[in-house]
Amino acid sequence: MDRDTDSEGMWPGPQGGDLEENRQCDLPTGLGEALQKRESTRHLVDETGDVKLTTDFIRLNDEGKIYKGGIFSLDGLHPTTIGYGLMANVYIKTMARAGVKFERGIDWDEVVAEDTLVENDRHSDLG
């Protein structure tokens, strides 16, 4: 067993515990709000307001809607538009902690609207 993993071989995540418990900790609230505004992406936010996008390969339900994945594109390497927005958000937060002032934040409504992979309400060509 690797010393950085637990008894089941799982990496405990950045704050201890398992990854599933920690995966929601840094997602911006504006992303969830933007996803809830659009009929085609509303299913990506649960009843408690948690965003259900993950870094997994995209998986579709029987209705052709994403239920897993959405941060990385179909090749599993390049981020979706939302994935790029999340990366930009990390840079902005880091720069703000260093004292950089920003006139505005990320427009999550625009990011979600421009993400044609996640925003598409029917992925029949992917099924």
Side-chain angles (χ1 to χ4, degrees):
M1 176 173 71
D2 185 339
R3 67 181 183 157
D4 294 328
T5 59
D6 66 12
S7 61
E8 297 177 4
M10 297 296 293
W11 179 64
Q15 301 168 346
D18 67 23
L19 288 175
E20 189 63 26
E21 291 174 9
N22 292 318
R23 72 180 180 86
Q24 295 292 337
C25 62
D26 285 331
L27 292 178
T29 55
L31 172 59
E33 293 166 359
L35 289 167
Q36 286 182 319
K37 288 179 186 176
R38 302 178 76 82
E39 179 64 34
S40 59
T41 57
R42 195 167 293 141
H43 69 283
L44 296 172
V45 181
D46 69 17
E47 57 279 345
T48 64
D50 286 337
V51 175
K52 297 191 288 185
L53 295 173
T54 68
T55 57
D56 297 298
F57 281 105
I58 289 179
R59 298 288 184 258
L60 306 177
N61 63 19
D62 292 338
E63 298 171 0
K65 294 186 177 196
I66 294 173
Y67 72 89
K68 187 181 270 189
I71 293 177
F72 286 94
S73 64
L74 297 176
D75 67 6
L77 176 66
H78 297 91
T80 59
T81 303
I82 290 173
Y84 280 117
L86 291 170
M87 290 171 34
N89 191 60
V90 170
Y91 285 110
I92 289 171
K93 286 171 54 177
T94 302
M95 292 168 60
R97 279 195 296 269
V100 176
K101 304 285 187 212
F102 293 91
E103 291 182 20
R104 62 181 185 272
I106 294 172
D107 182 345
W108 289 105
D109 290 326
E110 182 178 358
V111 170
V112 170
E114 293 297 321
D115 195 323
T116 57
L117 187 62
V118 173
E119 196 278 332
N120 188 350
D121 63 351
R122 183 96 179 137
H123 295 89
S124 59
D125 55 330
L126 303 177

